[in-house]
Amino acid sequence: MPNISITRRCRRDCAFCFAAHERSRGAVVDMTPAVYEDALAFLERSQVADVRMMGGEPTEHPTFTEFVCRALERGLRPTIFTGGLMPDEALDYLSGVPAERVTVVLNSAVSGRDPDVWIRAQERVCSRLGARVEPGITLDTPALRPDFLLDLIERHGLRPRVRLGISHPIWGGRNRSLHARGARAVGSALEPFVRMAGAAGVGVDLDCGFTPCMFSPEFLETHPVLADSVGMRCNTIVDLLPEGDAIACYALSRFMRFPMTDGSTREEMISGFDRELERVLPAGTYRECARCQYRLEGRCGGGCRARRALRLRPDTRPWLGKG
Amino acid sequence: MGGEVRPAPGIAWVVEQNGVTVVDGDRGALVSIAYPYAGLWAMIVGGTYTAGRACDLVMLLTGMDEGAVERQIVGALSSWRGLGLLEAG
């Protein structure tokens, strides 16, 4: 589903941030109300009922609460992707929206990796927003165990779902990402967690860039739904930027961008991005993707497309946009 | 066998398990080169190509006689030049 990046502001400045390149561009900082209305119209034209607001840190947008209110008035369902350093006004407002009408996806801070002040801020968000919050985490090492999220869910009565993402590279950017072989090791390291979460009644959503080959055949056999879908999660999302331009996703933000025009729909944009991307990208993230059975059976698209792009030799940065 | 050659401007390639895929930034994926000729491509892009080395490599990998290998290498280089993958070094 498309995302609306309403601001480039963020105080976290995570090394793995996949929006790092976009945030560093000297472009529009905050989406104007007029562009936001255009973005909502784009969603409605595209028959998308979810308004996925991200950034930067979307709650830092000066009119964040008005934007959420506007989405609710139009019968849309807001999902807020936050790092948890949330201004009081935003926290107060969201605590007044019924849990069934809004989702707050919290990119959880990790003890020992992230500053304590972030962890305290997130505890406060969880405490105030309870069942509106779906915790998640960005895995920047296979050694990171998300087990603590189950405790967070139980202590604060959060939504019983966990969203797990991998730190992906930006093609032509400089964020810190998990190396391709490290990313592959993430899957097997997560298997015990997925089982533990299932036993606790907590669902696990795997974000883009996971592939079946990251998991053991035994695990895939006992998790057939995950096995059939996990390899097809790197798709063109369409991220709408504060100035109104659209990119395929943040990791490919330097490849190309389209302006959001009056009549355009998400499907049309996806078609345009995919046509350009599939012409040049290798079959998959790894050398062995070319002969992989999962791929031949249509159960895997080859993984993160930014990772695929990084396999091109020599330096393909001259192909990228100037932004 | 073709003198010195190098990849043409704007050409990139990806090493796959079964060979090399050559891509052009404007024209997209152009050709998949299977082994042993992917090894020949590796010599060219690595700057270690000479006619003698290329011939030795392909003879070693295929077990074919020298004359046949020479003809195949000339054919491959000619084809790659025709596709715009290579230019004179």
Side-chain angles (χ1 to χ4, degrees):
Chain A
M1 274 187 281
N3 300 308
I4 305 179
S5 173
I6 61 172
T7 183
R8 287 186 164 89
R9 300 169 195 254
C10 182
R11 288 175 287 158
R12 276 188 53 157
D13 200 26
C14 301
F16 56 73
C17 179
F18 56 66
H21 174 73
E22 272 305 316
R23 287 183 45 237
S24 70
R25 294 175 72 228
V28 173
V29 175
D30 296 313
M31 184 175 277
T32 64
V35 172
Y36 182 67
E37 289 295 328
D38 287 346
L40 295 184
F42 168 81
L43 295 182
E44 288 168 344
R45 275 199 304 280
S46 306
Q47 298 183 310
V48 173
D50 294 282
V51 183
R52 294 156 58 95
M53 300 167 73
M54 55 169 57
E57 169 56 53
T59 61
E60 287 190 28
H61 190 287
T63 58
F64 166 74
T65 57
E66 285 88 338
F67 279 11
V68 176
C69 183
R70 188 74 189 111
L72 291 167
E73 283 171 359
R74 290 175 79 143
L76 301 167
R77 184 189 162 81
T79 295
I80 319 300
F81 290 83
T82 179
L85 305 186
M86 197 179 286
D88 287 343
E89 185 191 350
L91 188 54
D92 291 343
Y93 177 80
L94 289 172
S95 67
V97 180
E100 63 275 14
R101 297 200 66 193
V102 68
T103 299
V104 177
V105 177
L106 177 67
N107 191 354
S108 303
V110 179
S111 179
R113 183 189 76 180
D114 298 320
D116 287 344
V117 66
W118 294 5
I119 293 168
R120 288 197 296 275
Q122 293 195 348
E123 287 280 345
R124 183 163 163 264
V125 167
C126 291
S127 168
R128 292 282 308 278
L129 300 184
R132 297 168 190 82
V133 176
E134 181 179 317
I137 196 169
T138 301
L139 300 159
D140 58 353
T141 162
L144 184 53
R145 294 284 180 272
D147 305 16
F148 72 96
L149 296 176
L150 301 180
D151 175 59
L152 196 67
I153 289 170
E154 188 174 348
R155 276 192 292 120
H156 296 291
L158 309 184
R159 195 164 294 171
R161 293 209 74 78
V162 168
R163 182 187 177 90
L164 302 176
I166 297 174
S167 59
H168 292 306
I170 302 167
W171 186 12
R174 294 176 183 276
N175 67 324
R176 192 182 73 205
S177 63
L178 200 50
H179 187 274
R181 301 289 158 187
R184 180 174 263 181
V186 160
S188 53
L190 281 178
E191 291 178 9
F193 172 74
V194 175
R195 291 195 185 95
M196 193 190 328
V202 174
V204 177
D205 291 328
L206 301 179
D207 210 343
C208 57
F210 281 90
T211 52
C213 64
M214 292 178 178
F215 299 91
S216 68
E218 297 75 24
F219 179 82
L220 293 176
E221 199 169 309
T222 54
H223 296 78
V225 175
L226 183 145
D228 283 342
S229 63
V230 70
M232 305 308 289
R233 297 189 186 178
C234 183
N235 298 304
T236 294
I237 297 163
V238 180
D239 285 319
L240 299 175
L241 301 172
E243 60 273 25
D245 285 350
I247 52 177
C249 71
Y250 276 105
L252 295 170
S253 57
R254 294 202 61 195
F255 181 63
M256 63 186 301
R257 59 188 62 215
F258 293 144
M260 179 175 56
T261 52
D262 285 348
S264 60
T265 65
R266 179 179 181 241
E267 291 305 318
E268 289 164 357
M269 284 196 180
I270 288 173
S271 169
F273 282 123
D274 286 354
R275 190 170 53 243
E276 294 301 318
L277 284 164
E278 293 305 325
R279 273 180 340 109
V280 296
L281 294 187
T285 305
Y286 308 101
R287 287 185 179 191
E288 48 274 34
C289 291
R291 289 180 165 177
C292 171
Q293 198 59 28
Y294 292 123
R295 192 169 162 276
L296 295 175
E297 291 171 358
R299 297 167 70 192
C300 184
C304 170
R305 290 188 291 183
R307 290 188 185 281
R308 287 162 62 187
L310 291 179
R311 292 186 54 227
L312 288 161
R313 296 289 181 271
D315 186 352
T316 52
R317 277 178 292 183
W319 295 3
L320 301 173
K322 302 292 182 205
Chain B
M1 287 190 291
E4 289 192 9
V5 286
R6 64 185 177 200
I11 290 293
W13 59 93
V14 186
V15 180
E16 310 280 12
Q17 197 176 39
N18 51 350
V20 171
T21 302
V22 184
V23 180
D24 180 289
D26 295 323
R27 293 179 290 165
L30 297 177
V31 63
S32 290
I33 303 172
Y35 289 102
Y37 293 95
L40 179 58
W41 179 266
M43 288 180 97
I44 292 168
V45 301
T48 60
Y49 171 82
T50 65
R53 280 200 195 115
C55 202
D56 288 346
L57 173 74
V58 178
M59 280 169 63
L60 185 69
L61 292 172
T62 63
M64 291 164 63
D65 67 73
E66 190 170 358
V69 164
E70 278 185 9
R71 283 192 295 278
Q72 291 208 354
I73 290 175
V74 168
L77 293 179
S78 167
S79 161
W80 296 347
R81 277 186 160 178
L83 288 168
L85 313 186
L86 297 178
E87 64 177 17

